[in-house]
Amino acid sequence: MTRIDLNEWTLSGSGYFGSSYFNKSDDSVLLKMLKPEFPFSMIEEEFRMASLVHSMGIPSSKPFELVTDGKSFGAIYQRFSDKVSYARKVGQSPELIESLARDLAALVRKLHSTPCSPENFPNVKDRLHNAILADDFRDEEFKCRAIKLLESLPDGRTCIHGDLHFGKFRKPAGDGVVQPDEALFRLHHRRAAGDGLGHGGQTEHRVPRH
């Protein structure tokens, strides 16, 4: 595994799991570093998924290599330096929100109709099932209703983005193909797991009706 020096990178943003960086001498790459408390297996799985997604022809950042700074683990990805996120684009030009929403909806529809292998991609139902059981803020009656609904949903064989919102997709400055900012996709079912539960926390899994 390649060892890096963070002094050669400029911090671009931080979140719950870690931070992202731009390279000071190469604007074609992006570094994502986990916080030290998170294990190597987390970035290793993300890198594996990103490699699979990119190999499927879905427009996404190409993963290059796994790295460490000696304290935490990360990965280097292709950076689209000429593109801005949809969230920033809307902020800069709010009058474009309708056309941007149509562009994004078209990409999401493409993603949600792309077949993916059950051997390589985990089922989102399993992830949600575990999340429901681990939720300390819901009573057992609610958990039972949630799991019953979840288990009633048919399995699908197409992709879903694991954290879908306006900030996770990028658009070129001019005309071109929109690009997912992160490549995390999972098998999805045909209805949102949050339907009927009185809770909107899973809205990123809603699939447009075609």
Side-chain angles (χ1 to χ4, degrees):
M1 185 184 306
T2 302
R3 191 180 181 104
I4 61 166
D5 183 355
L6 282 182
N7 291 322
E8 298 175 356
W9 300 80
T10 300
L11 180 68
S12 65
S14 298
Y16 179 79
F17 293 107
S19 301
S20 59
Y21 299 82
F22 297 150
N23 191 276
K24 292 180 179 179
S25 60
D26 184 356
D27 65 1
S28 69
V29 292
L30 171 73
L31 170 66
K32 293 179 64 178
M33 291 294 290
L34 293 177
K35 292 179 180 178
E37 59 264 32
F38 293 111
F40 171 70
S41 59
M42 179 179 291
I43 194 69
E44 182 181 37
E45 176 63 7
E46 179 184 306
F47 190 85
R48 183 188 74 85
M49 296 280 277
S51 300
L52 282 171
V53 168
H54 192 75
S55 69
M56 291 165 61
I58 295 174
S60 57
S61 297
K62 182 179 180 180
F64 289 128
E65 62 178 328
L66 293 164
V67 298
T68 181
D69 66 346
K71 298 178 181 179
S72 56
F73 301 101
I76 295 177
Y77 293 88
Q78 177 185 10
R79 178 190 174 197
F80 300 107
S81 57
D82 63 334
K83 299 171 178 64
V84 298
S85 73
Y86 272 77
R88 179 170 295 180
K89 190 72 174 179
V90 169
Q92 293 172 343
S93 307
E95 70 278 6
L96 299 178
I97 188 169
E98 290 188 13
S99 63
L100 291 173
R102 284 193 294 269
D103 285 350
L104 185 57
L107 177 57
V108 170
R109 176 177 290 186
K110 179 181 178 181
L111 296 179
H112 288 176
S113 61
T114 300
C116 54
S117 168
E119 288 74 30
N120 292 324
F121 290 82
N123 194 317
V124 68
K125 289 171 65 176
D126 295 336
R127 181 172 67 87
L128 293 176
H129 187 277
N130 293 335
I132 291 169
L133 293 179
D135 189 347
D136 295 329
F137 298 98
R138 303 289 182 176
D139 58 35
E140 292 303 314
E141 189 273 337
F142 179 90
K143 290 183 180 181
C144 287
R145 286 194 297 119
I147 290 176
K148 183 178 180 180
L149 173 59
L150 189 62
E151 292 177 347
S152 72
L153 301 174
D155 288 326
R157 290 294 183 270
T158 50
C159 297
I160 185 170
H161 195 287
D163 188 18
L164 180 60
H165 60 75
F166 247 28
K168 289 294 177 72
F169 292 80
R170 295 186 180 273
K171 183 176 177 61
D175 294 333
V177 179
V178 290
Q179 305 281 351
D181 183 30
E182 289 189 359
L184 175 60
F185 301 84
R186 303 177 184 275
L187 294 177
H188 80 86
H189 35 73
R190 295 297 181 185
R191 291 176 52 204
D195 286 354
L197 297 180
H199 176 53
Q202 299 298 338
T203 54
E204 68 271 24
H205 300 290
R206 295 185 183 278
V207 182
R209 297 295 181 183
H210 306 316

